[in-house]
Amino acid sequence: MAEAFGQFQYPTPPLAVYPAETIEAHRAFIARRRASRPGEEYRIPTEDEWDAFLAHFEKRTVSIGTCARAFGSPCIHEHACVRCSLLRPDPVQRGRLAEIRDNLIARIAEAGTEGWLGEVEGLQVSLAGAEEKLSQLDRGHAQNTAVDLGVPTMRGDR
């Protein structure tokens, strides 16, 4: 069977068809899973619960990216996001993150000169976090570049 688009005939793409027993087995699994869970997990949330859920995701956006912590979990780094492994840096904010790193280096130098050793230690943790975020962005950019895989061949062509 083919579909006509203008003067061209294109073959109809194949459809994914699953055996009925696969679909029924999956439905039975879901039914067993739901039966083993407390019924209150499947209730409709209240307006307050829904508002809290939406607010959590609205508050996850920060100046240099997005916080990936789970709903209902507290921020364990007291909003020192540059230190947190759950921060997903936004590539658009790379310049801002580099400015933060440079500022941290200057602040570490000032704290060292002034003898604020506790401040130096805390700033070094933040600096390590900022450098890690920058390297994440650099690794991520390299992963999104095109790779030439060559021309595919059929098994009989080898």
Side-chain angles (χ1 to χ4, degrees):
M1 184 186 330
E3 294 181 46
F5 295 100
Q7 61 185 354
F8 299 104
Q9 292 277 338
Y10 292 99
T12 304
L15 302 175
V17 178
Y18 295 99
E21 49 282 356
T22 302
I23 294 169
E24 291 307 315
H26 180 70
R27 287 181 177 156
F29 166 77
I30 297 296
R32 284 191 310 275
R33 176 85 172 138
R34 286 188 174 157
S36 70
R37 312 271 316 158
E40 58 270 7
E41 288 187 11
Y42 298 103
R43 66 177 174 73
I44 296 173
T46 66
E47 283 295 318
D48 289 340
E49 290 170 332
W50 188 247
D51 289 343
F53 179 74
L54 294 176
H56 167 80
F57 292 101
E58 290 172 358
K59 292 177 184 175
R60 287 180 17 178
T61 302
V62 294
S63 66
I64 54 176
T66 304
C67 177
R69 67 187 161 92
F71 170 68
S73 62
C75 178
I76 60 172
H77 293 101
E78 298 175 357
H79 303 285
C81 299
V82 76
R83 297 178 173 196
C84 185
S85 63
L86 296 176
L87 174 70
R88 299 294 174 254
D90 182 354
V92 173
Q93 298 298 331
R94 190 182 195 295
R96 182 184 193 96
L97 191 53
E99 287 177 18
I100 290 170
R101 180 209 46 213
D102 296 345
N103 181 269
L104 286 165
I105 291 168
R107 289 175 60 199
I108 289 169
E110 177 189 17
T113 301
E114 297 296 329
W116 304 328
L117 301 182
E119 188 80 6
V120 169
E121 188 176 313
L123 291 170
Q124 286 174 334
V125 173
S126 294
L127 177 61
E131 289 174 340
E132 174 58 28
K133 298 298 179 236
L134 286 167
S135 68
Q136 277 180 15
L137 288 173
D138 293 342
R139 285 191 309 266
H141 180 68
Q143 290 173 352
N144 292 331
T145 57
V147 175
D148 182 13
L149 299 176
V151 178
T153 60
M154 300 299 285
R155 291 180 191 236
D157 293 346
R158 292 184 205 165

